[in-house]
Amino acid sequence: MLVQIGENAEARQAALAALRLGAPEDAVLEILSILALQEENPVAASLALSLAHSTARPQSLELSGALLLRHGCPQEAIPLLKTAVRYLRRSDKLRAAESRMLLADAYLLSGDLQEASTILGQLSDRELPAEWGGILRARNRLLTLLRQSPDKWSSLIPGLAPFQHGLN
């Protein structure tokens, strides 16, 4: 509850107190990872890897992958996100689609445009939360730009204007 209302310092203290009282380590790591995702935390990548190694819960693996992505470790995020997608497809289609978007981002940031394109091509606006539709279209447009030589970018950029509404 403290995390939801933005009381991060109190949430961190409560999580550490819970750990001292015997709370499961993976649950505490998950809370600390959520806080790290919201903040600029210099130890976030280490925290993400600790969380990934402490549990096999797909939601925790997705959180670890998102945290690694945010802190510049896309290669490390890929196997975690792949595993999360594989398990979430069975139980939570919306969360699986969100994980696939993160996985596509990891491939994109790793320079594997083909794999990013394949994953994004398998997603549709219907699978994602309404506010993510514009992001999906923008990612696909970005891949189109990256596949072109820079001298063609100026002709493609005006085509991004219709997507501005979906990103606001």
Side-chain angles (χ1 to χ4, degrees):
M1 180 67 168
L2 291 170
V3 174
Q4 291 176 332
I5 60 173
E7 301 294 335
N8 292 359
E10 290 85 355
R12 185 176 296 100
Q13 289 174 351
L16 294 173
L19 181 63
R20 285 190 294 274
L21 293 172
E25 184 177 299
D26 58 327
V28 173
L29 283 171
E30 199 166 308
I31 292 167
L32 295 175
S33 296
I34 290 168
L35 293 170
L37 194 57
Q38 294 175 353
E39 304 167 340
E40 289 302 317
N41 186 331
V43 297
S46 297
L47 190 57
L49 292 172
S50 294
L51 175 61
H53 287 98
S54 73
T55 180
R57 282 181 8 95
Q59 296 85 351
S60 296
L61 295 176
E62 178 194 41
L63 176 59
S64 296
L67 199 49
L68 287 166
L69 269 178
R70 178 144 187 214
H71 291 279
C73 304
Q75 290 288 346
E76 291 83 355
I78 289 171
L80 300 176
L81 292 168
K82 284 172 103 173
T83 302
V85 167
R86 187 170 43 251
Y87 288 103
L88 288 169
R89 278 186 172 160
R90 297 182 205 147
S91 61
D92 187 341
K93 301 288 186 198
L94 177 63
R95 193 84 182 253
E98 292 172 358
S99 293
R100 288 184 3 218
M101 280 283 282
L102 290 170
L103 182 57
D105 285 349
Y107 279 116
L108 180 64
L109 292 170
S110 297
D112 190 340
L113 302 183
Q114 183 58 47
E115 195 61 35
S117 180
T118 299
I119 292 168
L120 289 174
Q122 296 168 352
L123 286 168
S124 72
D125 289 349
R126 294 183 317 275
E127 293 177 273
L128 296 165
E131 64 272 11
W132 285 47
I135 296 170
L136 176 61
R137 290 186 296 278
R139 291 290 196 294
N140 280 317
R141 191 60 150 179
L142 174 62
L143 283 168
T144 300
L145 279 171
L146 292 173
R147 283 197 202 105
Q148 302 292 325
S149 63
D151 61 320
K152 298 195 188 236
W153 289 359
S154 61
S155 66
L156 295 171
I157 289 175
L160 291 175
F163 300 113
Q164 182 179 1
H165 175 70
L167 296 175
N168 291 337

